[in-house]
Amino acid sequence: MNATPLAIRCRDIVKTYDTGGQVVTALNGVNLDINMGELMMLVGPSGCGKTTLISIIAGILDQTSGDCELFGENLLTLRSKDKLRFRAENIGFVFQAYNLLPALNAAENVSVPLIINGVKRGEAERRAAQMLEKVGLGERTMSLPAQLSGGQQQRVAIARALIHSPRLIVCDEPTSALDHESGQNVMNLLKAVALDQQRVLVIVTHDARIFNFADRIAEMDDGHIVNVAHSAAELK
Ligand SMILES: Nc1ncnc2c1ncn2[C@@H]1O[C@H](COP(=O)(O)OP(=O)(O)O)[C@@H](O)[C@H]1O
Ligand SMILES: [Mg+2]
């Protein structure tokens, strides 16, 4: 028995994209362990493979080779129906582009993960309204995404990722559209709502103002992890 069970275990992950004859190597042998209860940040220059890596960890994308386990499950080997269910129950994803459904209002967007997990619509929207309150959007439950600012849409996306209490939350640049205070509020909320000893939080970011929230910071370059720091002071 391990003292601290691993939440995420990546071994020799390679990912190539084949775009009409041209092969791009996005990940070139990534090894990374992330513990339960840990807030791991992922930093590195644009194009180094951050989004690709978190997409593989979350089972949205299949690696070309290598092994990735999430809570002891190898998502690559699950049948697609089981994988969809595993993802729906266990993972919340905040996409860089928010990916809100344009025809649904804020509360309806936030309730989607609950509805997928079998919660009735009325109950789902009631809980969605409570979560929107927590991210400071209690007054905007009826607003469509197009009626909200970028920062407000980002908070709706965060509320949607948290609503079903997933064990893994993955966020791609969650504070990029937020001012300093809103960014700190979102990080405090993520830590309070999304992190305990059974759960894990992985955040891709360029935002040095939030580095102090991390337990560890993994630095990527050119498809590799080049350093894992315990604080911003240890970054290369
Ligand atoms: N769907 C795709 N098709 C082809 N190339 C891609 C695709 N997605 C990402 N890439 C390429 O893979 C590399 C890593 O991209 P990405 O993971 O998005 O990096 P980051 O998130 O660090 O900016 C880049 O060279 C990018 O152009
Ligand atoms: Mg990216």
Side-chain angles (χ1 to χ4, degrees), residues 47 50-52 96 172-173 204:
K50 304 180 298 293
T51 298
T52 301
Q96 202 161 6
D172 206 349
E173 304 276 1
V204 169

Side-chain angles (χ1 to χ4, degrees), residues 187-198:
M187 288 308 301
N188 280 315
L189 177 82
L190 281 170
K191 265 199 122 149
V193 176
L195 207 56
D196 58 41
Q197 283 314 305
Q198 318 306 321

Side-chain angles (χ1 to χ4, degrees), residues 17 19 24 26 45-52:
Y17 292 104
T19 49
V24 175
S46 180
C48 72
K50 304 180 298 293
T51 298
T52 301

Side-chain angles (χ1 to χ4, degrees), residues 136-210:
L137 289 174
E139 312 283 286
R140 304 305 298 271
T141 56
M142 305 295 275
S143 300
L144 295 171
Q147 298 167 326
L148 298 170
S149 72
Q152 289 169 333
Q153 291 180 53
Q154 199 157 37
R155 281 183 278 159
V156 175
I158 289 165
R160 180 180 58 182
L162 296 176
I163 188 76
H164 55 309
S165 305
R167 285 198 284 163
L168 166 66
I169 307 249
V170 186
C171 307
D172 206 349
E173 304 276 1
T175 61
S176 59
L178 304 180
D179 60 54
H180 180 71
E181 194 186 338
S182 304
Q184 301 288 309
N185 288 342
V186 158
M187 288 308 301
N188 280 315
L189 177 82
L190 281 170
K191 265 199 122 149
V193 176
L195 207 56
D196 58 41
Q197 283 314 305
Q198 318 306 321
R199 300 164 82 190
V200 65
L201 195 47
V202 182
I203 297 181
V204 169
T205 189
H206 280 104
D207 186 355
R209 299 172 305 183
I210 65 169

Side-chain angles (χ1 to χ4, degrees), residues 11-184:
R11 286 294 175 277
D12 304 319
I13 304 283
V14 172
K15 175 66 185 178
T16 57
Y17 292 104
D18 194 343
T19 49
Q22 218 190 0
V23 177
V24 175
T25 302
L27 299 178
N28 198 5
V30 167
N31 292 292
L32 184 64
D33 287 344
I34 307 180
N35 299 310
M36 292 285 195
E38 193 165 39
L39 195 169
M40 177 69 91
M41 285 187 188
L42 211 50
V43 302
S46 180
C48 72
K50 304 180 298 293
T51 298
T52 301
L53 179 58
I54 58 172
S55 301
I56 290 170
I57 288 172
I60 292 168
L61 200 61
D62 289 344
Q63 64 269 38
T64 306
S65 64
D67 279 320
C68 184
E69 281 179 14
L70 174 61
F71 306 125
E73 241 358 295
N74 183 343
L75 298 192
L76 206 57
T77 64
L78 289 184
R79 291 181 308 166
S80 61
K81 190 164 148 267
D82 296 332
K83 184 160 148 180
L84 282 176
R85 178 186 300 259
F86 183 88
R87 274 176 33 200
E89 286 176 3
N90 291 293
I91 303 174
F93 205 112
V94 181
F95 296 92
Q96 202 161 6
Y98 319 141
N99 293 13
L100 300 176
L101 295 167
L104 301 187
N105 69 35
E108 290 165 341
N109 264 289
V110 173
S111 59
V112 165
L114 292 177
I115 288 172
I116 291 174
N117 282 297
V119 177
K120 294 231 160 56
R121 182 170 300 271
E123 167 69 8
E125 284 181 25
R126 192 183 61 73
R127 282 164 60 184
Q130 284 176 349
M131 187 55 80
L132 283 166
E133 188 85 40
K134 283 193 188 172
V135 297
L137 289 174
E139 312 283 286
R140 304 305 298 271
T141 56
M142 305 295 275
S143 300
L144 295 171
Q147 298 167 326
L148 298 170
S149 72
Q152 289 169 333
Q153 291 180 53
Q154 199 157 37
R155 281 183 278 159
V156 175
I158 289 165
R160 180 180 58 182
L162 296 176
I163 188 76
H164 55 309
S165 305
R167 285 198 284 163
L168 166 66
I169 307 249
V170 186
C171 307
D172 206 349
E173 304 276 1
T175 61
S176 59
L178 304 180
D179 60 54
H180 180 71
E181 194 186 338
S182 304
Q184 301 288 309

